[in-house]
């Protein structure tokens, strides 16, 4: 439909602008091709100065190309230059076709204000009222949407702030945990370290005893009157002590290090924070620890 | 929450360390053993300079009762004696089961062997730079032997050659100390053996060995109540006629002085290598004669075996002593003649010497 009407509109606007002086707004009836629903209804009266005419031509070209919003603006500028009310009607049509209801309403209102006695003024006023109502509704909806958008933005910002606060609080707790290690860990670790030290000492004693034994028994063969059993007992006892203290001490140290990072149990009053134990048997010693991290 | 997953791993680590503490050791002394002595197992090599000379092995150890000599050395105790008259070979291995004593006390000489060649033919050892006998001393010969086989009686023909001591002849001579011997010795007299040999056997070629073993002697460890059999004497000649014809000190007899403990029982086995293959084989022509007796200075239990006109079984011989001076001591005489009933040859027990080509 628009393609069919565009040549007619062009012909009408060009012929009118070139052959006729600008007509007053009340001459709208003279436009034999006026159609309030289509581009052919564009008003051309009063385009008597060059600038306005150029604007009109640009607007006309834009309209033909389907750039209705830009066409509407050019019609309004042509109106500002020429004060031809028909240009407002043209702007109304262009804005209407662009779907820009507020601008179309404004242009139509301007037209009716300039041409209150236009031939179809009553019809146009009814349309204007309908359009104004729709604009009002649209503005209200937009306002409501804007309000919702602002509300959502505020909510998102609040959530982000809460998350940042939670992270900061966790980091603060972690720093606090790191700085406040479980003192039981120091105690157990110290005991383990002392055991390892004792193991080293026992190992040195054992090595010394064995060295003495090697001196007395070259080639690991001892004289008949040598009390080998007693010497073996001394070496083996020291070796056993070294074994137990070294490995047991190492185990206790590991437990101590683990205890250092155990929480103190303040978060849960029902459960004990840590339970540690140690036992020795024929197969060796064992240390255990239970707790919550 | 994720921290709770660490607890099983921590407990596993602690348990592993505890297990390791019970199963690993830093040190121990279980690889030490008490010296138990060993067989004399000595292989000599390249002894060609001494093939025709008398050679004597003295198995000795220090028992703490030795005499301190002027030069500070201490006389050892004679535990066993081996005599070759003459040596008769360049390379050979001698095994005397259980003859080497353990080291009795720290600082004392462990069981070893002093051996020497009678270069100057005086029958006694002289360490003289101008006309010396050649002597060598090996101490502590048991220490490097495998303990499990150190005292297992075995013939050198069947023993692992790597388990004994090997001595290659050299000129780095030692000044041997004459050991303190026991007051009793043994003499084996040969009488009429040539007539008892099978036809065609040249008595000159008959190799004769005398083995003397203690029967249930007090154990070398000194532990009260423990007893053991062990070799105390070995004597060898490779030509019995040469021995019989020799008009020297040992004419017609083999003497092993100072090796018998008074009151203990001994077994003497005389072995004749009739077939001349340097191996005492069972079931062949080789012969063995066995005599067992209690050694005593008071009684002469073997007199019944003797057929000498005086009925004496007692002779005097030279005892080893620290001064190297002769001392008359009792020798238990054993007379071997063709009328004695031969005993069976035990190859594994009777072959103490292996001559190595």
């Amino acid at each position: 439909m628009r393609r069919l009407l565009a040549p007619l509109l062009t012909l009408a606007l060009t012929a009118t602008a070139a052959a006729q002086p600008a007509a007053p707004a009340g001459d709208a009836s003279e436009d034999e091709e006026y159609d309030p629903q289509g581009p052919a209804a564009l008003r051309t009266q009063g385009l008597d100065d060059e600038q306005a005419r150029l604007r009109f031509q640009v607007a006309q070209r834009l309209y033909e190309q389907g750039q209705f919003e830009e066409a509407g603006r050019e019609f309004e500028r042509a109106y500002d230059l020429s004060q031809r009310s028909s240009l407002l009607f043209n702007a109304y049509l262009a804005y209407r076709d662009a779907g820009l209801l507020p601008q179309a309403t404004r242009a139509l209102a301007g037209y009716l204000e300039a041409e209150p006695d236009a031939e179809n003024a009553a019809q146009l006023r009814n349309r204007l009222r309908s359009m104004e109502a729709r604009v009002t509704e649209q503005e209200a909806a937009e306002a409501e949407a804007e309000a919702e958008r602002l509300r959502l933005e505020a909510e998102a910002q609040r959530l982000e702030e809460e998350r940042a606060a939670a992270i900061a609080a966790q980091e603060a707790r972690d720093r606090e945990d790191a700085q406040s290690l479980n003192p039981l860990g120091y105690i157990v670790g110290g005991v383990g370290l002392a055991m390892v030290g004792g193991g080293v000492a026992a190992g040195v004693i054992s090595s010394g005893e064995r060295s003495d034994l090697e001196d007395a028994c070259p080639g690991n063969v001892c004289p008949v009157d040598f009390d080998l059993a007693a010497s073996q007992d001394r070496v083996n006892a020291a070796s056993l002590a070294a074994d137990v203290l070294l490995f047991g001490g190492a185990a206790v140290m590991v437990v101590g290090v683990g205890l250092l990072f155990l929480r103190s149990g303040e978060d849960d009053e029902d459960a004990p924070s840590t339970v540690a134990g140690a036992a020795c048997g024929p197969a060796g010693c064992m240390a255990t620890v239970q707790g919550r991290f | 929450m994720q921290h709770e997953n660490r607890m099983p791993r921590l407990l596993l680590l602690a348990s592993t360390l505890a297990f390791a503490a019970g199963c690993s050791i830093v040190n121990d002394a279980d690889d030490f053993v008490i010296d138990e002595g060993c067989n004399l197992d000595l292989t000599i090599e390249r002894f060609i300079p001494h093939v025709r000379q008398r050679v004597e092995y003295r198995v000795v150890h220090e028992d703490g009762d030795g005499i301190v000599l002027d030069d500070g050395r201490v006389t050892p105790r004679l535990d066993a004696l081996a005599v070759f008259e003459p040596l008769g070979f360049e390379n050979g291995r001698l095994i005397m089961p259980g003859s080497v004593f353990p080291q009795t006390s720290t600082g004392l000489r462990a069981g070893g062997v002093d051996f020497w060649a009678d270069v100057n033919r005086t029958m006694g050892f002289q360490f003289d730079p101008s006309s010396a006998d050649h002597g060598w001393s090996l101490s502590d010969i048991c220490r490097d032997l495998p303990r499990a086989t150190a005292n297992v009686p075995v013939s050198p023909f069947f023993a692992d050659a790597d388990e004994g001591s090997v001595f290659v002849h050299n000129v780095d001579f030692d000044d041997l100390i004459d050991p303190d011997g026991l007051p009793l010795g043994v003499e084996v007299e040969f009488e009429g053996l040539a007539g008892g040999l099978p036809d065609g056997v040249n008595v000159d070629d008959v190799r004769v060995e005398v083995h003397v073993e203690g029967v249930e002697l007090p154990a070398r460890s000194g532990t009260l109540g423990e007893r053991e059999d062990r070799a105390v004497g070995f004597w060898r000649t490779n030509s019995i006629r040469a021995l019989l014809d020799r008009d020297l000190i040992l004419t017609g007899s083999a003497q092993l002085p100072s090796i018998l403990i008074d009151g203990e029982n001994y077994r003497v086995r005389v072995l004749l290598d009739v077939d001349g293959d340097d191996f005492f084989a069972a079931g062949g022509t080789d012969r063995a004669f066995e005599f067992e007796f209690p050694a005593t200075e008071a009684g002469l239990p073997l007199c019944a075996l003797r057929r000498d006109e005086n009925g004496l079984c007692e002779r005097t011989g030279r005892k080893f002593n620290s001064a190297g001076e002769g001392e008359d001591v009792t020798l238990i005489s054993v007379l071997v003649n063709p009328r004695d009933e031969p005993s069976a040859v035990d190859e594994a027990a009777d072959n103490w010497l292996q001559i190595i080509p």
Side-chain angles (χ1 to χ4, degrees), chain A residues 206 210 213-214 218 220-226 228 232 235-236 239 243 247 251 254 283-287 289 291 293, chain B residues 3 7 10-11 13-14 17-18 21-22 24-35 102-106 143 147 221:
Chain A
S206 172
R210 184 178 169 90
L213 187 54
E214 289 172 345
N220 294 10
V221 179
C222 303
V224 172
D225 66 347
F226 187 78
L228 177 60
Q232 286 177 319
V235 173
N236 292 340
S239 298
D243 289 339
F247 289 104
V254 170
C285 292
M286 181 175 69
V289 61
F293 287 90
Chain B
H3 291 297
M7 184 55 64
L10 185 61
L11 292 173
L13 176 62
L17 289 173
S24 300
I25 55 174
V26 174
N27 201 358
D28 67 44
D30 295 339
D31 51 339
F32 286 82
V33 296
I34 291 291
D35 194 356
Q103 184 182 25
T104 55
S105 184
T106 302
R143 199 169 297 275
R147 309 308 303 175
S221 64

Side-chain angles (χ1 to χ4, degrees), chain A residues 71-134:
Chain A
R73 283 197 295 270
E74 291 302 318
F75 281 132
E76 284 185 322
R77 287 177 187 136
Y79 169 76
D80 291 340
L81 293 171
S82 67
Q83 294 300 309
R84 299 293 182 182
S85 58
S86 59
L87 293 171
L88 287 177
F89 188 82
N90 293 346
Y92 151 67
L93 294 177
Y95 284 134
R96 182 201 62 188
D97 291 344
L100 299 172
L101 187 58
Q103 290 85 338
T105 302
R106 184 189 66 226
L108 182 57
Y111 172 74
L112 288 175
E113 185 177 356
E115 297 290 342
D117 298 328
E119 181 180 3
N120 57 344
Q123 181 182 0
L124 293 176
R125 284 195 180 88
N126 288 336
R127 180 172 301 171
L128 178 61
R129 281 194 293 273
S130 174
M131 292 170 61
E132 287 174 342
R134 288 170 55 194

Side-chain angles (χ1 to χ4, degrees), chain B residues 161-183:
Chain B
D162 293 334
E163 293 180 356
S165 303
V166 177
F167 182 85
V168 179
H169 181 270
N170 59 59
V171 293
D172 186 13
F173 306 126
D174 294 316
D175 184 6
L176 307 181
I177 309 172
D178 284 331
D180 288 328
L182 296 166

